[in-house]
Amino acid sequence: MARTTSKVVEVMGRKFKISAFDSFTGSYIAYTVFEKALPRGIEQQFAAGMGGNMPARSQTMGKQEFIELQRDCLSAVAEILPAGERPLLNSNGSWGVNDIADNTVLVVILTVHALVFNMSAFFEEGGLKALKDSLSSLMLSNIKTSIRGSMPQSSQEDGSSTSSGTAHTR
């Protein structure tokens, strides 16, 4: 089945295209959401899906960090206009479409749409299980190591052997 990389939503009588995050941005946002922004009820469900192992949360997200996260989310959104698609944010970070700079409700709704579209795979059937299985295979306790023949043996002049790690020359 082909992976969906965009969808069109209608919000407040306007059409917007929500696109997939690039992998680096998506990974960062997933980390941030799981680490700092997950509401308590969802956090408990996520922890249950991960076998109860959820790291203790660090500090809450500050204003600047939240704005950066929101800008990352909104960078995946474009308004569909008669002349074509127009990115919500310009490359310099300024607003790229009209009537959005002071439209908090629209900005929040579009941020949520971008997050849900890009993060839903974690919460769909089997998404958390696949993540848990992948992570548990990486746990140090699951990695087996062995050391064969601890130290090289060398002969001493009297014919006995030693197990020191230093090389002897004659």
Side-chain angles (χ1 to χ4, degrees), residues 65-75 89 104 107-108 111:
E65 189 176 12
F66 178 79
I67 290 171
E68 289 176 23
L69 176 74
Q70 197 168 35
R71 285 184 188 277
D72 283 340
C73 291
L74 295 175
S75 70
L89 294 173
T104 303
V107 168
V108 169
T111 301

Side-chain angles (χ1 to χ4, degrees), residues 4-67:
T4 304
T5 58
S6 66
K7 75 173 187 174
V8 174
V9 297
E10 188 167 328
V11 179
M12 303 174 109
R14 298 162 74 172
K15 288 188 178 182
F16 297 90
K17 179 181 176 183
I18 312 293
S19 297
F21 298 140
D22 69 81
S23 295
F24 290 119
T25 301
S27 297
Y28 167 75
I29 290 173
Y31 165 78
T32 303
V33 167
F34 294 148
E35 177 66 18
K36 295 186 177 189
L38 219 53
R40 289 288 179 197
I42 295 174
E43 181 180 280
Q44 290 169 352
Q45 289 177 335
F46 185 81
M50 293 294 289
N53 299 326
M54 190 74 177
R57 287 215 276 179
S58 61
Q59 61 187 338
T60 58
M61 188 180 302
K63 180 180 178 180
Q64 191 58 42
E65 189 176 12
F66 178 79
I67 290 171

Side-chain angles (χ1 to χ4, degrees), residues 34-141:
F34 294 148
E35 177 66 18
K36 295 186 177 189
L38 219 53
R40 289 288 179 197
I42 295 174
E43 181 180 280
Q44 290 169 352
Q45 289 177 335
F46 185 81
M50 293 294 289
N53 299 326
M54 190 74 177
R57 287 215 276 179
S58 61
Q59 61 187 338
T60 58
M61 188 180 302
K63 180 180 178 180
Q64 191 58 42
E65 189 176 12
F66 178 79
I67 290 171
E68 289 176 23
L69 176 74
Q70 197 168 35
R71 285 184 188 277
D72 283 340
C73 291
L74 295 175
S75 70
V77 180
E79 185 168 15
I80 301 172
L81 301 168
E85 294 176 10
R86 180 81 182 136
L88 223 57
L89 294 173
N90 293 318
S91 59
N92 66 2
S94 65
W95 294 109
V97 297
N98 293 329
D99 188 33
I100 198 163
D102 61 354
N103 195 337
T104 303
V105 174
L106 180 59
V107 168
V108 169
I109 291 170
L110 292 172
T111 301
V112 170
H113 270 289
L115 277 170
V116 169
F117 176 72
N118 282 282
M119 305 301 293
S120 62
F122 285 105
F123 300 100
E124 290 174 350
E125 180 91 25
L128 290 177
K129 182 179 180 338
L131 178 62
K132 178 187 172 197
D133 292 348
S134 293
L135 292 177
S136 67
S137 70
L138 295 175
M139 299 293 182
L140 287 176
S141 61

Side-chain angles (χ1 to χ4, degrees), residues 145-150:
T145 60
S146 64
I147 301 173
R148 304 225 184 253
S150 54

